[in-house]
Amino acid sequence: MKKILVANRGEIAVRVIRSAKEMGIKTVAVFSEADRNALHVQLADEAVFVGPAPSNQSYLVVANILAACEKTGADAIHPGYGFLSENADFAKEVTKAGITFIGPSPRSIRLMGSKIESKKAVAEFNVPLVPGTAEALTDVKEAKEIAEGIGYPILIKASAGGGGKGMRIVYEADELESQMGQAIREATSAFGDGSVFIEKYITSPRHIEFQILGDQHGNIIHLFERECSIQRRHQKVVEEAPSTVLDPTLRQQMGEAAVNVAKSCGYFGAGTVEFILDETGKFYFLEMNTRLQVEHPVTEMITGIDLVKEQIKIARGETLEIKQEDLKIEGHAIELRVYAEDPANNFLPETGTLIRYQTPKGLGVRVDDGVEQGQAIPIYYDPMIAKLVAYDIDREAAIKRMDRAIGEYEIAGLKTTLPFGKWLMGQSNFLSGDIDTHFIEKHFDAAELQNVSQEKMEVAAKVALHHFLNNNRIQVKQGGAVHDGSENKWRRRRNHV
Ligand code: ADP
C-alpha cells in the first residue's frame, strides 16, 4: 500500500491523512467545490476535484472517486465515516477495480447494514436482543398483536435506519396504526426501503458501545466500551471511555458479546457494536457500525492505540499484534462534539463563517478538526466543526480538563455546542455518572446557558471584530499538487486571517 485516497472531507479526512503520513504512506484528498481550500486538501500530498458542493454530486459519486484513484495511482481507499463508508456496493466496486478497501468485506457491511438481518445473524451467536420482531412488518393487525405480546411502550424502527431516522415511540395501541404509517413513509423517503420492525422501548437506557478490531485471519478483539448516552434527537453529543456503570464482570460479558457479533458476520477491520443497557444491568444488541466511529478518539486515548493505523495494517493483511489480555484501560477520556448548532434553540443547525477560531491547547487536550479561521461552514454537510477530547488519569480530572479546554476554545461567527458542554461539565448528576439517553430532555434548560456564555461571548465578539477588521488577508503559498481541472493546477492555498 503506497498511496491512500481518503474518500471523505473535514476532520475525519484530516485524521486519516495524519496516520497515513506517520506510516510513510502517501495520501490523496478529494474535494468538492465547497471544500477547495479545506484543511484536508492542504494536508494531503495530492488533491482531486470530484464535483459540485452537494455530496450526491461529489463525495458520493463512486465513478468520480474511482477516477480520482486512477488519476493519482492510489492503491487503497479509506472511506472515513458517513458518505460511502457503509455502502457495500462501493466496497465491492473498489475491490473489483483492484484497489484495497480499508474496511470490512462487502458481505459484512451488507449484513450489518440491515437491522433485521443483523439481529438474525447475531441471535445464533448467543447475543442478547431487545424483545421484538425478527421480521419486517407491514400489516398493522399483526403489529398490534406483537406489540400486545411485548407490552407498551414499543419502538418502531426502520430496518435500513440510521441517524435516529424512522424511529417512533408508541405508548398505546391506539397510536400504533398512524405511527407505523409515518415510520414506513419516513423510512421509504430517507432510505428507499420501507421495512420496519418493532422493539420493546427501554425507558431509561444507556447507550454503551464496544470498539472491535478484527484481522483477516479470524482474530477479533475488543478495545472496551464507550458511553454515549448524552444524546439529542437520538444522536450523540458527548462520549466517554470508560463508562461509570460497567464493572469488570459486565465489561467482560459485553465485550464477549461484542466479539461474538463480529464473529457472526466474519468481521475484519475496525467496527463498533452498539448496545443499550437497562437500569437492571441487562444489555441488548442494537446494531453494528462497520466503519470507524466519530467518537473513536476516546478509545484511542484510554488504550494508546491508533485505530486508523490498525485499520490500515488489517487491510494490508497483517495479523493483529495486540492480544485481548494485553489491553488495559488507562485513565479517562471525554469527547464533546463541537457542532455548528444552537443549544439555546433546540440544537438547530447554524451556518456561517468562523470569524474567529482558536482551539484549546495543553496537556491531555486533543482537538480533531478540519477547519481554519476564516472558513465558512457549508450547509451541504454534517454540521460538526470539531471534536474536543480531554484526557486525564480519572473521570473527575478529565471533566475538569474538559471544562478548562472549553473555556479556552474561541469560536465566533456562529453558535456551537461549546456552551452546552460547559453547562454539562458543571452538572452534579453528570459528575456522579447518573445519566441515560434522556439526560438532555430531562435536565437541560437552555436558559441556564445565558450564565455560562454571556461574558465569554462578549469577549469573543470583541476579539473577533478586531481581528476581522485589522487582519483579513489571504496569502498564496506554493505546495502540493491539486488536480482540479482548472488552469492553475499546481497550487495550494492557505488562508492566513
Ligand atoms: P440509528 O441507527 O438510527 O442511530 P440505533 O438503533 O442505533 O438507531 O438507536 C439510536 C438511539 O436510539 C440509541 O442510542 C438509543 O438512544 C435509542 N434507542 C434505540 N433502540 C431503543 C430501544 N429499544 N429502547 C430505547 N431506546 C432505544
Side-chain angles (χ1 to χ4, degrees):
M1 200 182 286
K2 300 224 158 47
K3 204 188 260 189
I4 296 173
L5 180 138
V6 186
N8 218 301
R9 65 179 297 281
E11 68 87 17
I12 195 61
V14 171
R15 164 76 193 84
V16 173
I17 289 167
R18 284 185 174 139
S19 286
K21 278 197 175 172
E22 287 171 17
M23 295 173 86
I25 303 171
K26 293 259 178 276
T27 54
V28 180
V30 290
F31 64 96
S32 74
E33 194 58 57
D35 285 335
R36 242 167 223 289
N37 302 318
L39 194 61
H40 75 282
V41 176
Q42 298 178 37
L43 290 180
D45 296 303
E46 292 168 81
V48 183
F49 176 70
V50 286
S55 46
N56 61 2
Q57 296 171 45
S58 49
Y59 295 108
L60 290 172
V61 182
V62 174
N64 294 3
I65 303 292
L66 291 178
C69 280
E70 203 170 5
K71 190 181 236 167
T72 56
D75 53 3
I77 290 183
H78 193 300
Y81 54 71
F83 291 144
L84 295 165
S85 62
E86 288 177 292
N87 183 323
D89 293 335
F90 174 63
K92 214 170 175 173
E93 290 272 311
V94 169
T95 314
K96 241 174 48 193
I99 298 161
T100 304
F101 180 73
I102 304 175
S105 69
R107 185 185 154 263
S108 300
I109 300 176
R110 186 162 289 123
L111 187 59
M112 290 295 141
S114 157
K115 290 191 201 259
I116 293 176
E117 293 308 317
S118 64
K119 282 185 164 206
K120 282 189 204 157
V122 308
E124 288 173 28
F125 280 74
N126 234 345
V127 176
L129 300 174
V130 188
T133 49
E135 297 293 338
L137 288 171
T138 43
D139 184 43
V140 178
K141 217 172 124 233
E142 192 190 344
K144 269 196 177 144
E145 277 164 27
I146 292 165
E148 294 298 334
I150 300 170
Y152 288 92
I154 56 121
L155 191 63
I156 304 175
K157 277 189 178 180
S159 179
K165 285 204 192 87
M167 249 194 291
R168 302 253 152 193
I169 307 166
V170 185
Y171 292 95
E172 285 166 34
D174 288 358
E175 305 165 359
L176 186 71
E177 187 162 357
S178 74
Q179 295 282 34
M180 195 166 149
Q182 284 187 46
I184 291 173
R185 276 194 296 278
E186 206 172 304
T188 310
S189 83
F191 314 111
D193 173 1
S195 349
V196 297
F197 63 100
I198 289 179
E199 257 179 21
K200 170 96 191 138
Y201 180 66
I202 312 290
T203 31
S204 180
R206 283 170 177 258
H207 175 117
I208 309 277
E209 59 185 33
F210 273 71
Q211 177 67 51
I212 290 293
L213 280 179
D215 64 21
Q216 299 193 47
H217 313 284
N219 304 302
I220 303 175
I221 56 168
H222 72 82
L223 284 80
F224 313 111
E225 77 280 5
R226 293 185 287 259
E227 160 94 57
C228 312
S229 299
I230 306 294
Q231 305 182 344
R232 43 106 186 75
R233 297 188 284 266
H234 298 297
Q235 288 288 295
K236 303 154 190 166
V237 202
V238 171
E239 303 96 345
E240 58 182 306
S243 164
T244 56
V245 280
L246 266 58
D247 58 24
T249 313
L250 186 55
R251 179 168 294 123
Q252 194 188 343
Q253 285 169 356
M254 292 182 79
E256 274 170 19
V259 168
N260 282 342
V261 169
K263 280 186 184 156
S264 79
C265 63
Y267 200 81
F268 58 83
T272 294
V273 179
E274 298 189 335
F275 297 101
I276 46 177
L277 179 70
D278 74 12
E279 292 146 298
T280 67
K282 278 209 203 100
F283 64 91
Y284 309 97
F285 169 72
L286 267 189
E287 65 170 351
M288 180 170 191
N289 294 321
T290 55
R291 53 167 164 83
L292 195 65
Q293 201 94 333
V294 174
E295 58 274 20
H296 75 275
V298 292
T299 301
E300 296 186 320
M301 303 311 282
I302 64 154
T303 58
I305 290 165
D306 181 325
L307 290 169
V308 173
K309 284 186 186 162
E310 292 305 318
Q311 286 187 299
I312 292 170
K313 288 195 257 176
I314 291 165
R316 289 198 300 216
E318 293 170 28
T319 305
L320 269 181
E321 285 164 10
I322 319 154
K323 301 264 173 297
Q324 189 69 60
E325 54 276 17
D326 299 340
L327 284 165
K328 233 175 55 211
I329 298 176
E330 301 257 18
H332 197 96
I334 304 179
E335 174 182 281
L336 168 66
R337 298 192 190 188
V338 184
Y339 279 113
E341 282 180 0
D342 182 4
N345 188 12
N346 217 6
F347 293 89
L348 211 70
E350 288 261 308
T351 52
T353 299
L354 295 167
I355 305 175
R356 172 131 180 101
Y357 184 75
Q358 184 83 40
T359 55
K361 296 178 177 65
L363 184 64
V365 174
R366 166 175 172 180
V367 179
D368 279 25
D369 62 10
V371 296
E372 288 176 302
Q373 186 162 289
Q375 187 189 315
I377 301 298
I379 50 164
Y380 306 99
Y381 317 112
D382 187 84
M384 197 174 76
I385 299 170
K387 305 184 305 205
L388 171 58
V389 184
Y391 173 74
D392 209 329
I393 47 167
D394 59 25
R395 186 168 188 265
E396 202 186 327
I399 289 174
K400 285 197 182 126
R401 183 157 279 166
M402 174 60 92
D403 188 57
R404 185 272 290 173
I406 295 172
E408 262 180 47
Y409 215 138
E410 285 180 31
I411 299 182
L414 37 73
K415 301 208 174 68
T416 73
T417 45
L418 282 174
F420 166 77
K422 186 95 184 148
W423 171 86
L424 184 69
M425 297 306 134
Q427 293 305 297
S428 55
N429 36 14
F430 178 72
L431 300 188
S432 65
D434 178 17
I435 52 178
D436 66 18
T437 56
H438 306 295
F439 187 91
I440 293 181
E441 294 150 50
K442 279 198 289 206
H443 304 295
F444 178 55
D445 178 2
E448 290 175 27
L449 289 183
Q450 292 308 88
N451 317 333
V452 171
S453 54
Q454 194 58 36
E455 193 187 338
K456 196 168 153 34
M457 267 164 39
E458 278 170 20
V459 174
K462 276 183 201 149
V463 174
L465 189 65
H466 174 82
H467 226 84
F468 191 66
L469 294 176
N470 294 323
N471 257 338
N472 198 356
R473 65 196 155 86
I474 291 172
Q475 286 185 2
V476 179
K477 200 178 147 183
Q478 284 303 116
V482 176
H483 312 271
D484 67 352
S486 70
E487 282 303 300
N488 52 346
K489 253 187 181 174
W490 309 96
R491 135 200 100 162
R492 173 180 290 187
R493 248 190 259 152
R494 195 180 289 268
N495 291 351
H496 292 284
V497 178

